[in-house]
Amino acid sequence: MASRVEKYLAHLDRLSGGREPRFFPVESTKQGLRGVTEIVYDDLPDGLLTALTYGLSLAEHPDWQHGSPELCLSVSSTNVIWAHAVGHLAEQLRGTCPFGYGSTINFGERIVAESEMKAFCVFAPLVLDRKDCLGIDVGVPGHDGHDSINIQGIYPIHEVERQFINERGLEAFWKSDWEPTDVLRRPAV
């Protein structure tokens, strides 16, 4: 019988065509919760570093009524620090941040040295179809109710963009002229 994490990883294996990811553990600071794992695919899809989390969904949040989130970042970079930043946020903010569409997160400093971006926003994942990221069944025998994961996209943004989203909404920002994977771009607003 497959465990919860094994079911999730099998789903990612199907999506990646069996590509072997790198795994980076993030130690838990939450009593009673296991750590978060960063699952990193290099050059998948072509030219992008794609990182997903596992462990955010182990927490509980009142907004998570139809599944719990894991995060997916895809950026035009080879710098694994992007993945580490997302793993850190997932571990630190699980249970307190809903990670719903339109959520913004102030990282508080440059995420990586070569980029001026200091924040993130959450929306649908850029590299996954809707059917591949919503309602992933990871339930195991003995678990009460339905246990599903929804993979949420997380996008690095500039601080001025985070403020714009908070004031005018994600839709207004999303329609602006920007490239979601470009971590060296100028602010779009």
Side-chain angles (χ1 to χ4, degrees), residues 76-178:
S76 295
S77 178
T78 58
N79 190 340
V80 75
I81 299 299
W82 289 106
H84 298 335
V86 170
H88 171 78
L89 287 176
E91 198 290 317
Q92 290 292 307
L93 299 178
R94 58 186 171 163
T96 59
C97 178
F99 292 102
Y101 289 2
S103 293
T104 62
I105 301 156
N106 181 355
F107 196 71
E109 61 185 306
R110 284 183 175 201
I111 301 162
V112 298
E114 64 267 17
S115 174
E116 294 183 17
M117 295 179 177
K118 298 179 179 179
F120 290 95
C121 71
V122 179
F123 192 52
L126 186 67
V127 298
L128 297 175
D129 291 332
R130 183 176 174 86
K131 67 179 175 37
D132 295 327
C133 65
L134 296 178
I136 303 161
D137 183 6
V138 292
V140 295
H143 183 272
D144 291 337
H146 183 69
D147 189 7
S148 65
I149 288 175
N150 298 315
I151 299 174
Q152 310 284 66
I154 188 161
Y155 298 88
I157 56 174
H158 293 276
E159 175 58 22
V160 67
E161 294 169 334
R162 185 186 73 78
Q163 293 170 10
F164 180 90
I165 292 167
N166 289 345
E167 292 169 9
R168 299 190 188 164
L170 180 63
E171 184 177 355
F173 172 70
W174 205 262
K175 290 179 178 179
S176 63
D177 186 25
W178 69 298

Side-chain angles (χ1 to χ4, degrees), residues 56-76:
L56 171 59
S57 63
L58 298 174
E60 294 182 10
H61 191 281
D63 290 358
W64 300 346
Q65 300 298 313
H66 304 288
S68 48
E70 292 294 350
L71 303 177
C72 177
L73 168 89
S74 294
V75 292
S76 295

